Amino acid sequence: MTSTPQQPAAPAAAVRNTPARVAAWSAAMGVSLIVAIFATPMFWLMYGQYYTFFMAVFGVVAIPAGHLGRIRGKRLGGRDRGLALLAIVTGWLLLLCVLLIVLAYAGLMIGVTALFSFAS
């Protein structure tokens, strides 16, 4: 009976939780867009639809990637599980900000329309 040589296990430092890192980067990019809204309000007024769209995209990417990172982190002994949880929470907060921005914009348009219809 011949035995096949066993491959040595990969060192723990070489194993990365890539979904958690993707989720964290996506959440960080979304938060940077929120910071950019407050730092450069003139650009947001001119290109607000792009800011809002990319905040939604980054939030939508962060949530499922964060869940995958939590699952993979459990298999890796807890590696980057906290980072993935932070990305999930940040992703949901990004989507909440997007919802508030869209509702504020819709309310502004309805208010301006009502103002002009009552004025004429």
Side-chain angles (χ1 to χ4, degrees):
M1 193 177 231
T2 61
S3 63
T4 59
Q6 297 269 337
Q7 294 289 336
V15 179
R16 289 188 176 165
N17 191 346
T18 305
R21 292 171 190 258
V22 168
W25 274 105
S26 180
M29 293 300 291
V31 169
S32 69
L33 284 172
I34 292 176
V35 170
I37 287 173
F38 291 108
T40 59
M42 183 55 77
F43 287 132
W44 185 77
L45 289 174
M46 293 187 308
Y47 306 113
Q49 68 273 15
Y50 299 118
Y51 282 73
T52 308
F53 172 75
F54 283 115
M55 276 183 3
V57 167
F58 289 137
V60 167
V61 168
I63 293 168
H67 284 290
L68 289 173
R70 296 270 300 168
I71 292 168
R72 184 171 166 106
K74 187 184 284 186
R75 282 190 239 143
L76 294 175
R79 185 172 180 92
D80 291 335
R81 288 190 82 205
L83 184 66
L85 181 63
L86 180 67
I88 292 169
V89 170
T90 307
W92 281 111
L93 289 174
L94 285 171
L95 291 180
L96 177 68
C97 287
V98 167
L99 178 67
L100 291 176
I101 289 170
V102 169
L103 288 176
Y105 183 75
L108 178 68
M109 291 297 109
I110 291 170
V112 168
T113 304
L115 182 68
F116 283 122
S117 67
F118 287 137
S120 58

